Amino acid sequence: MFKNHLKIAFRSLVRNKAFSIINISGLAIGLATCLIIMLFVQDELSYDRFNEKADRTVRVIFRGTVQGQKMNEPNVMPPTAQTLKKDYPEVLEATRIRYYGRPRIMYGEQTFRDNSFAFVDSNFFQVFSIPFLKGDPKTALSQPNSIVVSKTLAHKYFGDKDPIGKVLTFIDGNTTCKITGLVDDVPENSHFHFDLFASMSSLDEARNNSWMVSEFYTYLVLPSGYNYKTLEAKLPKFVEKYIGPQFLQEMGMSLDQYHKKGNDIGLYLQPLTDIHLHSNFAYDLGTPGDIRYVYIFAAIAIFMLFIACINFMNLSTAGASRRSREVGIRKVLGSLKQELVKQFLVESILVSTISLILAVGLVYLALPVFNSLADKTLTLQLLSHTYVMPLLILVALITGLLAGSYPAFFLSSFNPVAVLKARFTTSKKTSGLRSGLVVFQFFISIILIISTTVVQQQLGYIQHKKLGYDKEQVLVLPDTWMLGKKEEIFRQQLLQDPRVVSVSASGYLPAGPSYNNNFFVNPDDNPTQMYKTLRYDVDYDYIPTLGMEMVTGRNFSRDFATDSSGIIINETAAKAFGWGMNAPGHSITHSSNFDMKTYKVIGVVKDFHFKSLHELISPLLMVIGQNSGTLIVKTKTKDLPGLLTEMDNRWKKLTSEAPFSYSFLDERFKNIYQSEQKTGTILGIFAGLTIFVACLGLFGLATFTAEQRTKEIGIRK
């Protein structure tokens, strides 16, 4: 019987070619979209779950409020890990990461600088499941100046030679490390990616007992089934016990007094598996995702599949008159209703199966493009996992049953006498349902159009927003400190070039990776008022080089020796301190046991966006600081390639230790919102496909309606 159902289903598809093509193509696009989004969602939700202890590992984070300014940091103080493990028996393991960027490394006569480096505790590989290829994970980092490298780095440095026992020289710190372990590459779905893991015992600051500095990413392993909120509830007392005394000594007030002023600080716990999708930190070990995008794409997948199923239902019921005589004859010959239902369900499942096969092909073709847009490495490996093929077959069955259930029961319910006497008419109820489904399709389509338009407008707003500084034709030259005493010579050579307008030396940049420095201050040396701000160490040419505007007062000047203790604040800081346009002349005191200095406000700079546009502008202070090894060059020329070539030549004459490198400030700004740009593009593509499938269904309905009225049209003509 099933073979007969299948044969009739094939004949029906061939006989109704237009109907079949519209249904199969619509379902194929819908299923392909669902499969791609399913891969994306699965990848986003899989972050850090490769770790064997992922479900019971948490990260310690720091949060606080100072005069309404939020502090939200993923790293904490050096002694946090060992102190928590000592005080709380539920902390089974505690380990730390101290990120150290991309140092210059020498092996033999070769110098490298493109691998991410971190100091980690000796028990790091007992917490994180990164497979060891050579060496012992328990002892590899037990000794100072020992280092574990990734498989990719080892192949790059040593080829096919055994890396164990090799010595790497870190040029910047003038230290050597012996390789004691080789690990597999850190999985893509990890919130951190390092190629070199050095022993934490090599780092002096790791033994610092200060609770007032925070640079260490700290992770705890808890017992199975233990609710991390139970430990988190104990942390306020922990903060009071350990941070409280140093806070009083550093800030001149107790934590209780600090809290009474409406301020707050505390340690909190974040599950390891939440880090990628539920983090909102300005600085983290990797680029986080966003759970909202997961929800949005999942909703689009559901709507897309639903619209494709609606198309099938509408076209099947609209073409009911074609099948009415067939149903009538079958019933007269003794076919039962359930047999007819099976027949039509087999047809719909056949359509969904063919659509699924086409969808898999579309996914293979589209994945490279999607990976490029989403910066992913997704693959559809049908045979790599035992559950993939059964899952796809289940999807085809469910889609076929969902799309074909209503048409099957509708077609099988025809009255044989009525249809054989050619008195069959579609009921108003059926026409109303079909119209309602079409309306729902385009209701969803309109929502997607509006959403996509809003996203594109937001992205356009970001690109054209006035930032308060000039990012056009501004070059950023990093690592100029490698020139040593010749750095000033290089700077003067640049200033002598007529294509260069001005040059500033500062690592504090308003776009892209930048130095960051929290600064707690008391306006007018008022001990009852303390504000958390950011401090930029700049030079005399910083503000004019970046085209910033002074709203009151003046810029730093070499003509005033007192400007070494002068300070420029932004408009937000002037408002927060209650000074407004009268800020020049007021004083700001930064006090601690290690540093106490009073600055005189000499000017107020117009607010500029030095963080993401997703964040409000916060108080910012600028002081004259030491050269940080980065030059900011404002140019005015159409011959940028020629200027860059000239810079490269001058660089090579001054040093051969490292190649000349640069970036454009406007590109650094664009890179901040690169993920939003890519997400907007992907959203637009998926929304366009959804609208296309909806229009495809409407086209099919219009075609069937025209066919049903051929006699009427002929008589009218």
Side-chain angles (χ1 to χ4, degrees), residues 51 55 65 70 95 109 134 147 156 240 248 280-281 330 437 467 481 489 493 511 566 577 634 717:
N51 293 292
D55 59 333
T65 305
K70 299 290 184 181
T95 195
E109 296 181 355
K134 290 185 178 181
I147 191 168
K156 176 181 175 182
E240 185 177 349
L248 176 63
N280 58 344
F281 305 106
R330 283 175 175 275
L437 291 174
L467 303 171
W481 57 268
I489 297 174
Q493 288 177 347
F577 300 160
K634 175 64 178 177
K717 283 191 173 182

Side-chain angles (χ1 to χ4, degrees), residues 664-715:
F664 290 98
L665 192 62
D666 56 349
E667 289 182 353
R668 294 167 67 92
F669 175 79
K670 288 179 182 177
N671 289 338
I672 297 174
Y673 307 100
Q674 193 173 36
S675 61
E676 283 92 342
Q677 292 283 357
K678 290 182 176 180
T679 302
T681 302
I682 295 169
L683 178 62
I685 291 171
F686 285 151
L689 287 173
T690 306
I691 295 164
F692 172 75
V693 172
C695 291
L696 198 64
L698 190 62
F699 170 76
L701 283 177
T703 303
F704 273 113
T705 303
E707 287 183 2
Q708 289 175 344
R709 301 181 67 182
T710 51
K711 289 186 179 180
E712 175 191 343
I713 294 170
I715 293 171

Side-chain angles (χ1 to χ4, degrees), residues 252-293:
M253 67 176 74
S254 67
L255 278 177
D256 189 48
Q257 292 173 319
Y258 182 74
H259 291 151
K260 287 180 179 179
K261 294 179 181 296
N263 304 316
D264 184 38
I265 57 169
L267 299 178
Y268 299 85
L269 303 179
Q270 180 185 30
L272 179 65
T273 52
D274 284 357
I275 291 176
H276 178 65
L277 290 175
H278 298 273
S279 294
N280 58 344
F281 305 106
Y283 304 95
D284 211 332
L285 292 175
T287 303
D290 193 327
I291 190 64
R292 293 173 297 180
Y293 292 148

Side-chain angles (χ1 to χ4, degrees), residues 615-662:
E615 301 181 50
L616 294 174
I617 297 175
S618 59
L620 174 73
L621 314 180
M622 294 181 181
V623 298
I624 293 294
Q626 293 182 346
N627 189 343
S628 57
T630 299
L631 293 182
I632 307 168
V633 183
K634 175 64 178 177
T635 67
K636 188 178 182 181
T637 178
K638 294 181 180 179
D639 184 29
L640 273 175
L643 175 60
L644 290 170
T645 301
E646 182 65 23
M647 287 181 176
D648 188 20
N649 292 334
R650 288 171 175 168
W651 179 277
K652 288 176 180 176
K653 290 178 181 179
L654 295 173
T655 181
S656 59
E657 288 189 8
F660 173 74
S661 62
Y662 65 91

Side-chain angles (χ1 to χ4, degrees), residues 72-84:
N72 195 26
E73 299 175 0
N75 43 39
V76 293
M77 307 79 181
T80 303
Q82 61 185 23
T83 310
L84 283 170

Side-chain angles (χ1 to χ4, degrees), residues 410-429:
F410 172 72
L411 293 172
S412 63
S413 64
F414 290 163
N415 186 327
V417 177
V419 296
L420 291 177
K421 288 184 177 181
R423 294 203 302 266
F424 168 75
T425 56
T426 305
S427 67
K428 292 182 178 179
K429 182 178 180 182

Side-chain angles (χ1 to χ4, degrees), residues 243-426:
I243 299 181
Q246 289 191 17
F247 189 89
L248 176 63
Q249 188 178 15
E250 179 89 5
M251 299 298 181
M253 67 176 74
S254 67
L255 278 177
D256 189 48
Q257 292 173 319
Y258 182 74
H259 291 151
K260 287 180 179 179
K261 294 179 181 296
N263 304 316
D264 184 38
I265 57 169
L267 299 178
Y268 299 85
L269 303 179
Q270 180 185 30
L272 179 65
T273 52
D274 284 357
I275 291 176
H276 178 65
L277 290 175
H278 298 273
S279 294
N280 58 344
F281 305 106
Y283 304 95
D284 211 332
L285 292 175
T287 303
D290 193 327
I291 190 64
R292 293 173 297 180
Y293 292 148
V294 173
Y295 293 147
I296 290 170
F297 286 132
I300 288 176
I302 293 170
F303 286 141
M304 170 67 93
L305 188 58
F306 197 45
I307 286 174
C309 291
I310 287 174
N311 282 348
F312 186 93
M313 295 167 64
N314 278 343
L315 293 174
S316 298
T317 54
S321 58
R322 287 186 172 185
R323 310 291 298 271
S324 59
R325 289 178 182 251
E326 175 191 341
V327 173
I329 292 171
R330 283 175 175 275
K331 284 195 171 183
V332 168
L333 294 176
S335 291
L336 299 175
K337 182 175 180 179
Q338 54 265 35
E339 289 300 322
L340 292 172
V341 169
K342 289 178 184 178
Q343 171 65 54
F344 294 123
L345 286 178
V346 167
E347 289 185 19
S348 63
I349 292 173
L350 177 62
V351 170
S352 67
T353 302
I354 295 172
S355 300
L356 181 62
I357 294 171
L358 289 176
V360 170
L362 289 174
V363 169
Y364 276 112
L365 292 173
L367 266 182
V369 178
F370 181 82
N371 285 335
S372 176
L373 288 173
D375 197 21
K376 294 283 187 182
T377 55
L378 305 179
T379 57
L380 181 61
Q381 299 174 336
L382 296 178
L383 302 178
S384 61
H385 300 289
T386 55
Y387 65 84
V388 175
M389 286 301 293
L391 181 62
L392 291 178
I393 294 170
L394 184 63
V395 168
L397 287 172
I398 293 175
T399 304
L401 292 173
L402 178 65
S405 57
Y406 176 72
F409 286 101
F410 172 72
L411 293 172
S412 63
S413 64
F414 290 163
N415 186 327
V417 177
V419 296
L420 291 177
K421 288 184 177 181
R423 294 203 302 266
F424 168 75
T425 56
T426 305

Side-chain angles (χ1 to χ4, degrees), residues 184-203:
D184 205 351
D185 293 336
V186 177
E188 289 289 334
N189 57 344
S190 172
H191 76 282
F192 61 78
H193 294 92
F194 301 116
D195 299 299
L196 301 103
F197 303 87
S199 55
M200 189 73 78
S201 56
S202 313
L203 189 65

